[in-house]
Amino acid sequence: QVQLVESGGGLVQPGGSLRLSCVGSGFTFSQYAMAWYRQAPGKERELVAAITPGGITGRSSTKFLDSVKGRFSISRDNAKNMLYLQMNNLKPDDTAVYFCNAAVDQNYWGQGTQVTVSS
């Protein structure tokens, strides 16, 4: 069955960086778009970043939530079934649980990893 497992969250000071990782299994990772979402307390889950499969050329396209543009980057390693989210210049508003997402036959989610940005 489809499984997504995130890692890399933690506590970081404002202006700091974190890299989140997600490993996927149970599906052909290279064929599906992947995404990172986040959910802060009392707020709805929102799309942070998404990346296309890459196709024959291996070149993926990406999109980002406006508030993270220029600070976050998303990448994937299809050979390792890995998805990454590099987060730089983190702000307190980035505090949330971050989820890995794969839209295969339905939406699949990881268990989430907590990111806390605080001094």
Side-chain angles (χ1 to χ4, degrees):
Q1 77 259 31
V2 174
Q3 286 191 324
L4 301 169
V5 179
E6 304 98 335
S7 61
L11 173 64
V12 63
Q13 292 186 343
S17 298
L18 282 175
R19 188 174 86 150
L20 305 184
S21 300
C22 170
V23 58
S25 61
F27 65 107
T28 306
F29 185 89
S30 61
Q31 293 184 357
Y32 293 92
M34 299 292 296
W36 289 98
Y37 284 73
R38 69 186 181 188
Q39 188 165 20
K43 295 187 177 181
E44 294 186 354
R45 192 170 295 191
E46 62 181 355
L47 175 65
V48 176
I51 185 167
T52 59
I56 297 174
T57 65
R59 294 181 181 177
S60 300
S61 60
T62 60
K63 65 177 180 180
F64 297 92
L65 180 69
D66 283 349
S67 63
V68 308
K69 286 180 180 177
R71 301 188 296 121
F72 290 13
S73 62
I74 186 171
S75 61
R76 64 193 297 162
D77 184 338
N78 288 337
K80 297 180 180 179
N81 287 5
M82 293 294 297
L83 177 71
Y84 304 101
L85 184 70
Q86 178 66 43
M87 306 185 292
N88 299 325
N89 191 20
L90 282 159
K91 303 177 180 181
D93 283 350
D94 296 318
T95 296
V97 179
Y98 284 71
F99 297 90
C100 179
N101 168 268
V104 185
D105 55 330
Q106 63 182 65
N107 262 325
Y108 290 92
W109 303 93
Q111 81 286 355
T113 186
Q114 176 71 47
V115 172
T116 302
V117 184
S118 174
S119 56

